Amino acid sequence: MSNKTLTITDNRTGKTFDFEIKNGSCGPAVADLTTFYDKTGMFVYDPGFKSTASCSSGITFIDGEKGILLHRGYNIEDLAENSDYPEVCYLLLNGDLPDLQNKKKFIKILTHHTMLHEQILRFYSGFRRDSHPMAVMVGIVGALSSFYPEKTYDFSSEKGKWVAVSRLLAKMPTMAAMAYKYSLGQPFIYPKNELSYSENFLHMLFSTPSGEYKPSKASVAALDKLLILHADHEQNASTSTVKIAGSSGANPFACVAAGVASLWGPAHGGANESVIRMLNIIGDEKNISQFIKKAKDINDPFRLMGFGHRVYKSHDPRANVLRKYCHDLLNEVESFNAPLFKLATKLEEIALNDEYFIKKQLYPNVDFYSGIILKALGLPESMFTVIFAVARTVGWISQWKEMTESENRISRPRQLYNGKEIRQFIKINKRKKNESMFPEHIE
Ligand code: SDX
């Protein structure tokens, strides 16, 4: 018996089935179950995909037990400390860090595609002013697919993929900043080619026609680190959404719009907004214990937002880096909301010493501190997940590109069916009175 197979026995029949065990370069091996249904006539059942590897990938490695996050083999801590966001984008896309010449060329290309087609600006006016900026982003990013149609761009070709990659990376900050300006009723601010990626983003967010915003070095550094720390994270919900949409050959701009929609959820990228809301509701350290109690109560839907992770069961390395930047920013940005940071660190300290959180392996995740930094940069909670979406665009599009270059079968899971078995149709005049499906008191 090869030591590279997993043997499964069906005790109902005594039949055994062998499945090949495949090892990656590091991390858990996989049992290749692609032939499981053909061999056993059964499906593998794994709602939420807790034990499922959906693909093979060389972009990001996470060790949830040790709290390790690597991008193309480089530690996230090293990248956050020593790199910048455009360089990390190049690394995720290309597989290695750029030399100086390639870095300059990459930045030049991105810089020269930051503008939006003027007609896209008209889409914004169709939204209510009080729309959530993520609703706007889903619409605008999706609309971009009409400006890069398949009839003009062959997205299966190297050239076509590059158009999708470069335009999305270049234009996401512009679209995001315009969503913010639209919510304020302020004029859109156009990108400036002489500014760096993060400086340009802050310029478009906070400048006005009557006054140029000159971000502090600390603010530019904080934003750039935030973008790096949110760039990619293996096969998370929004990345899987982009890839499932892409597996049908859909327009990559529309696929990224689907990723924006998935990221919006409070269980995913929407958590950073919920963390600040939660801290504001807790309000004071004396209230922390009652909220910890609520989070532990299985009958209470309240969860400690920014805590817990499907993969990290020791600590989220990104949260540790963000806590440090929060602290550094305290000294730099006078408007920095120190009480909120103090409350967050106290909440973390109490939760990490509570046996419920220890037993359930719940630690602060990337969303716990990011909101505090974004607030210090002057952004409202409603923009927090938009910034996450801008940062994660490189992860979405790198994983989409890798998928198009490797296995490219349409993603089509099966199910455990628990509905009605086959039955005869009954004409309406023969049907018994049945329970109505409508909620009470609705017309
Ligand atoms: C992100 O996947 C990624 O990589 C995501 C991300 C990325 O970079 O793409 O890292 C970004 O989405 C970070 C997560 C942000 N979400 C939050 O902070 C929301 C609060 N956290 C949770 O809702 C939850 O922890 C999840 C969604 C993050 C993880 O959910 P899982 O893996 O399905 O775990 P679970 O819900 O089954 O929880 C396990 C247990 C449960 O108790 P039991 O049912 O076993 O009794 O832990 C409890 C949960 O009730 N629990 C919490 C909790 N999170 C889980 N209890 C209190 N507070 C919490 N935050």
Side-chain angles (χ1 to χ4, degrees), residues 378-407:
L379 286 161
E381 285 102 48
S382 60
M383 279 295 292
F384 289 5
T385 311
V386 173
I387 307 299
F388 193 155
V390 170
R392 185 53 56 90
T393 296
V394 66
W396 291 331
I397 203 69
S398 303
Q399 301 263 0
W400 167 84
K401 183 168 174 289
E402 183 187 56
M403 175 189 74
T404 63
E405 290 158 355
S406 49
E407 79 271 4

Side-chain angles (χ1 to χ4, degrees), residues 146-167:
S146 68
F147 288 78
Y148 295 93
E150 288 78 356
K151 67 177 188 297
T152 318
Y153 300 91
D154 171 8
F155 293 115
S156 62
S157 71
E158 271 315 294
K159 207 155 168 268
K161 288 175 195 172
W162 177 251
V163 166
V165 164
S166 55
R167 292 346 181 244

Side-chain angles (χ1 to χ4, degrees), residues 417 419-423:
Y417 177 68
K420 295 276 188 209
E421 295 185 49
I422 192 161
R423 53 183 171 157

Side-chain angles (χ1 to χ4, degrees), residues 41 63 68 202 205 231 239 268 309 321 328 381 386 393 428-429:
D63 182 325
I68 292 172
L202 290 168
L205 283 165
T239 298
H268 190 12
H309 199 277
V321 177
D328 297 352
E381 285 102 48
V386 173
T393 296
I428 191 155
N429 58 357

Side-chain angles (χ1 to χ4, degrees), residues 152-217:
T152 318
Y153 300 91
D154 171 8
F155 293 115
S156 62
S157 71
E158 271 315 294
K159 207 155 168 268
K161 288 175 195 172
W162 177 251
V163 166
V165 164
S166 55
R167 292 346 181 244
L168 277 161
L169 288 181
K171 297 178 194 299
M172 277 302 257
T174 312
M175 291 186 280
M178 286 184 174
Y180 179 50
K181 286 304 196 187
Y182 183 74
S183 73
L184 298 175
Q186 288 185 7
F188 295 143
I189 297 297
Y190 284 64
K192 291 174 86 170
N193 288 356
E194 64 272 25
L195 300 178
S196 72
Y197 196 92
S198 296
E199 272 174 317
N200 211 0
F201 194 7
L202 290 168
H203 155 66
M204 293 187 283
L205 283 165
F206 298 117
S207 290
T208 64
S210 48
E212 173 85 14
Y213 175 71
K214 297 249 188 251
S216 70
K217 276 198 174 1

Side-chain angles (χ1 to χ4, degrees), residues 48 50 62 229-230 232-239 263 265-272 274-275 292 294-296 298 302-313 316 318 356-357 360-362 365-368 388 392:
K50 202 161 179 133
I62 302 172
L229 291 162
H230 289 77
D232 187 52
H233 211 240
E234 203 212 58
Q235 306 308 318
N236 59 85
S238 53
T239 298
L263 185 74
H268 190 12
N272 52 19
S274 314
V275 166
I292 295 269
K294 278 171 65 70
K296 291 156 60 173
I298 46 170
F302 174 80
R303 284 198 163 180
L304 220 44
M305 298 316 280
F307 265 76
H309 199 277
R310 171 61 60 78
V311 177
Y312 290 121
K313 299 305 172 195
D316 183 335
R318 301 168 297 175
Y356 172 90
F357 289 86
K360 294 207 184 279
Q361 301 174 302
L362 302 173
N365 58 50
V366 68
D367 290 303
F368 189 64
F388 193 155
R392 185 53 56 90

